[in-house]
Amino acid sequence: MEVLAAHLPAYTKVVVRGNRGSLPVPLTLGPACVARVIAVAPDVFHVAPGDVVVDTALLDAGDGDEILVGWVGLGGSGAGSERTARMRTVWRDGVFAEKALCAKETVVKLAGAENYPDLARLSFLPWLCLAAAGLHAAGPLAGRDVAVLGATGQLGGAAVLTALAEGAATVTAVGRNAAALDRLAALGPRVRTHRLTGDRTRDAAGIGPVDVALDALGATLTADATMAAYDSLRGRGTLVLIGGVRQELAIPYGDLMHRRLTLRGSWMADDATVTTVWNLIRAGLLDLSVLEPLTVGLDDPAAALDLAERTTGLDFVALVP
Ligand SMILES: NC(=O)c1ccc[n+]([C@@H]2O[C@H](COP(=O)([O-])OP(=O)(O)OC[C@H]3O[C@@H](n4cnc5c(N)ncnc54)[C@H](OP(=O)(O)O)[C@@H]3O)[C@@H](O)[C@H]2O)c1
């Protein structure tokens, strides 16, 4: 495939340093991209040369053995197995490159994307899909009140845009960064904001009540913000975890039961979600013009990682090789 544009996640430097799990080095990094198919193997029928596609990096052998090609993170228990080790040996190189060889299972066609005018912007699509998969785990969003924890990050920003596109009544953007929250508030009257105080009770009152809370936080020092989101739920509400929080949650058994709450996890996105999000973009319901991609090439990887680390929310680094 010819790589057209790839989102460089804000925490890529942490990944490169080895702080997010092991990588099968040496490798070409890169978890996802928008690309044009150059050639396919004889047994590939769902895409053809010339198609514009998303590479999702997700390779699933079943029974919890899932890898992300060119990236950290394993599905199932996250511990990996002899089989995921073999999978990573065969499919190790990602898409931060001019051309990439991708497993057919990781490639989803974007029908009609051949003429999309701004591929750097479109490279945010995979992150939108991860956010959408998390939101969909809570059921339909139309007419419901949704909160996004870590809305000042890129996954959280993607969730705010997706929830608005899918008809949420209100979207409460929750985070620490006041400037990033202000930008989200400017998206429209359905967006509320809450700046995290660090006090669970005050944060719960500021976030809710909501029907759906999506936790897209990075590595926090405590579980307080996540538990404030839990506390902010209305009866029958759902908390979905998609972030990078590495903390244990103390869930009160009786409260979860009596309030009929649901706690869900979501990891990556399936092909149907990719198609749904692309159709929202095509239809003009999900407006990518609010994004601010900062474009880099392949010539200075260290500078690109530094720049990505400084991006928040709706700003992101797009690698255009
Ligand atoms: N489930 C999945 O499929 C999936 C896929 C990709 C990534 N992830 C995980 O999602 C996480 C977020 O990704 P991202 O791309 O959005 O990263 P990001 O752009 O770096 O955003 C991190 C977010 O976490 C917040 N945060 C970080 N440390 C915090 C702390 N100590 N207290 C409160 N808030 C804190 C940041 O708030 P500030 O803006 O205030 O700093 C920001 O909102 C990653 O850590 C990754 O592990 C999950």
Side-chain angles (χ1 to χ4, degrees):
M1 301 195 308
E2 176 194 0
V3 177
L4 300 171
H7 167 217
L8 190 61
Y11 57 93
T12 303
K13 201 196 266 185
V14 182
V15 168
V16 170
R17 285 187 180 141
N19 296 343
R20 285 297 179 96
S22 68
L23 285 165
V25 286
L27 87 169
T28 302
L29 268 185
C33 71
V34 175
R36 184 175 288 112
V37 177
I38 300 172
V40 297
D43 64 336
V44 175
F45 305 105
H46 69 303
V47 296
D51 285 347
V52 171
V53 298
V54 159
D55 179 73
T56 66
L58 181 62
L59 197 54
D60 183 358
D63 299 327
D65 283 340
E66 297 168 88
I67 67 164
L68 296 179
V69 181
W71 201 245
V72 286
L74 297 166
S77 68
S81 66
E82 176 273 329
R83 186 157 63 151
T84 55
R86 275 192 289 124
M87 290 161 75
R88 278 180 142 194
T89 306
V90 181
W91 290 109
R92 67 193 297 154
D93 285 328
V95 296
F96 293 163
E98 290 173 339
K99 289 182 183 165
L101 181 67
C102 299
K104 67 180 177 189
E105 295 88 345
T106 68
V107 175
V108 186
K109 179 174 171 169
L110 300 179
E114 301 77 22
N115 303 317
Y116 193 83
D118 191 340
L119 293 162
R121 231 169 261 278
L122 194 58
S123 69
F124 203 57
L125 177 62
W127 240 232
L128 290 162
C129 295
L130 308 181
L135 290 165
H136 293 172
L141 302 175
R144 297 170 86 197
D145 295 314
V146 176
V148 178
L149 275 280
T152 51
Q154 286 165 2
L155 204 48
V160 171
L161 295 182
T162 308
L164 289 173
E166 298 202 351
T170 64
V171 181
T172 302
V174 183
R176 299 178 299 184
N177 180 331
L181 289 176
D182 286 347
R183 245 181 98 195
L184 293 167
L187 290 174
R190 284 186 290 147
V191 180
R192 299 173 60 241
T193 60
H194 171 72
R195 193 164 179 204
L196 283 170
T197 66
D199 178 278
R200 176 171 163 178
T201 308
R202 280 169 62 197
D203 284 332
I207 297 168
V210 292
D211 305 299
V212 176
L214 182 83
D215 183 324
L217 289 164
T220 55
L221 298 176
T222 73
D224 287 350
T226 304
M227 290 311 297
Y230 171 89
D231 295 340
S232 77
L233 292 174
R234 287 196 181 103
R236 299 180 192 273
T238 302
L239 170 64
V240 187
L241 309 179
I242 65 168
V245 174
R246 306 282 202 272
Q247 307 290 343
E248 305 292 318
L249 301 182
I251 301 294
Y253 187 117
D255 182 70
L256 183 92
M257 178 182 74
H258 286 115
R259 298 206 294 131
R260 300 181 178 88
L261 303 179
T262 303
L263 179 61
R264 294 285 307 263
S266 176
W267 189 64
M268 304 311 290
D270 61 13
D271 294 1
T273 303
V274 175
T275 303
T276 298
V277 175
W278 165 235
N279 285 338
L280 289 172
I281 295 169
R282 269 179 103 180
L285 293 165
L286 207 166
D287 179 11
L288 298 189
S289 71
V290 297
L291 298 173
E292 284 197 22
L294 306 165
T295 303
V296 298
L298 285 169
D299 49 321
D300 192 346
L305 263 52
D306 284 341
L307 184 62
E309 195 178 35
R310 294 197 298 275
T311 56
T312 57
L314 306 176
D315 298 337
F316 71 97
V317 171
L319 170 67
V320 180

